Amino acid sequence: MEYIPFLLLGGLISVMSGFFGVGGGFILTPILLLIGFSPLEAITTSLFFTVGTSMSGIAAHIRMKNILWKEGLIMGLSGIVATQLARPIVYALEARGWDDIGIPFLYIVLLAYFAIKMIRQGKKKDGENPAPAHFSVPKLLAVGFVGGFVSASLGVGGGFIIVPLIITSLGFNPKKAVGTSLFAVLLIVSVGFISYAVNTQIDYFIGLMLIAGALVGAQFGARMTAYFENKEMNAMLGILYIVTLAGAVLKLVDLNKTGLVLMGIFIVYFFVRAIGKIRTKAMEKG
């Protein structure tokens, strides 16, 4: 019974993973830190979980033709190189006892930046910035590298970095950004997880329970993108960043329960809004 909450948690997180294209680890890692996992355990478990959620989400986005394969491959390969550069830095932080402060602090800085970027993007009207026909390869390499470095540093898929960057810097359509990001993320986290798993002991049954919940959730989350306008998705992603940022700050001041409550409130808000959208669409068709 003690593992059932992880099954439910995996399902809830993976719905948002499939919807936002953030791989799941971005939301899971701070939650694991809040409930008492060590930074290295949280990173490795989240990477394991993200492999499962990314594969499930990709299956749904393939059917909706939301993946730009060449662009995703370029970002993914660049990200793989970055994971191997970031991993020694994480181990060095742990050896000096700085991981409990350094990792949440990096979260806070990144989340604050991207929360502002995505909320501003959410204020733009759909079609205001049409996507270019061809994307800059150097920019794709740079985005993939940053995503991979952050992935291995924080135990996330890198999607929470890649999605806003390719929307704001490269002009990706948000739905294409979500699908393409998940493909790049799968390449990045697979290598990142193997690199950490060699030296870090985790409870694999917890990881499998999280993934089991994700198998259904990510499919549902990907389909939900059809019910939202692009600007709404951008704005909601910005709010998610703010909530996760608050959770990281509360972790640093030992207010873990408050951080968990805040995350719970956003999850409820997300699902209530999604259900409302689905009902509205159903009534319009009826």
Side-chain angles (χ1 to χ4, degrees):
M1 291 299 292
E2 63 182 296
Y3 291 106
I4 296 300
F6 291 102
L7 179 69
L8 298 174
L9 180 63
L12 292 174
I13 290 176
S14 64
V15 171
M16 291 186 286
S17 165
F19 183 82
F20 291 115
V22 293
F26 151 66
I27 308 168
L28 179 61
T29 299
I31 291 178
L32 293 179
L33 290 172
L34 287 170
I35 63 178
F37 280 58
S38 73
L40 271 178
E41 287 175 332
I43 287 172
T44 309
T45 302
S46 289
L47 288 173
F48 182 51
F49 169 76
T50 304
V51 171
T53 58
S54 297
M55 290 177 66
S56 181
I58 284 171
H61 283 285
I62 287 174
R63 290 193 293 271
M64 295 187 291
K65 299 181 180 179
N66 278 346
I67 300 177
L68 302 179
W69 296 101
K70 183 183 75 173
E71 288 78 2
L73 181 62
I74 291 170
M75 291 189 290
L77 293 177
S78 177
I80 287 171
V81 173
T83 63
Q84 301 311 298
L85 296 176
R87 185 167 47 87
I89 296 174
V90 175
Y91 282 125
L93 286 173
E94 186 202 26
R96 290 169 174 78
W98 297 347
D99 52 336
D100 282 328
I101 295 176
I103 290 173
F105 180 75
L106 181 56
Y107 253 122
I108 290 167
V109 172
L110 291 171
L111 288 167
Y113 173 74
F114 285 111
I116 294 169
K117 291 281 284 185
M118 294 311 297
I119 288 175
R120 286 179 176 174
Q121 192 75 11
K123 293 179 180 179
K124 296 180 179 180
K125 296 179 180 179
D126 284 3
E128 189 172 314
N129 292 324
H134 301 284
F135 298 101
S136 165
V137 172
K139 284 187 177 181
L140 288 168
L141 290 169
V143 169
F145 188 89
V146 172
F149 192 90
V150 172
S151 170
S153 300
L154 302 180
V156 299
F160 90 103
I161 294 287
I162 292 173
V163 170
L165 280 180
I166 60 179
I167 289 174
T168 59
S169 303
L170 290 165
F172 268 63
N173 173 288
K175 293 175 185 177
K176 290 286 192 293
V178 169
T180 306
S181 167
L182 282 172
F183 174 51
V185 161
L186 177 61
L187 298 176
I188 291 168
V189 296
S190 296
V191 174
F193 167 69
I194 292 169
S195 299
Y196 277 112
V198 172
N199 298 312
T200 305
Q201 293 294 321
I202 64 169
D203 188 330
Y204 281 95
F205 194 71
I206 287 178
L208 290 172
M209 291 296 281
L210 289 165
I211 291 173
L215 292 178
V216 175
Q219 299 290 313
F220 182 66
R223 291 190 179 95
M224 280 170 51
T225 60
Y227 295 95
F228 287 81
E229 294 181 2
N230 291 330
K231 64 178 183 179
E232 291 178 302
M233 293 174 64
N234 289 336
M236 288 180 69
L237 183 56
I239 296 171
L240 175 59
Y241 286 159
I242 291 173
V243 171
T244 310
L245 164 63
V249 172
L250 291 167
K251 163 69 178 175
L252 287 178
V253 295
D254 294 324
L255 292 174
N256 294 18
K257 289 184 179 179
T258 306
L260 286 171
V261 169
L262 196 59
M263 291 290 289
I265 290 171
F266 175 80
I267 290 172
V268 171
Y269 161 75
F270 172 81
F271 280 99
V272 167
R273 186 164 180 182
I275 291 169
K277 285 280 186 180
I278 292 170
R279 288 184 63 185
T280 301
K281 288 279 187 179
M283 289 175 65
E284 289 174 355
K285 289 181 179 178

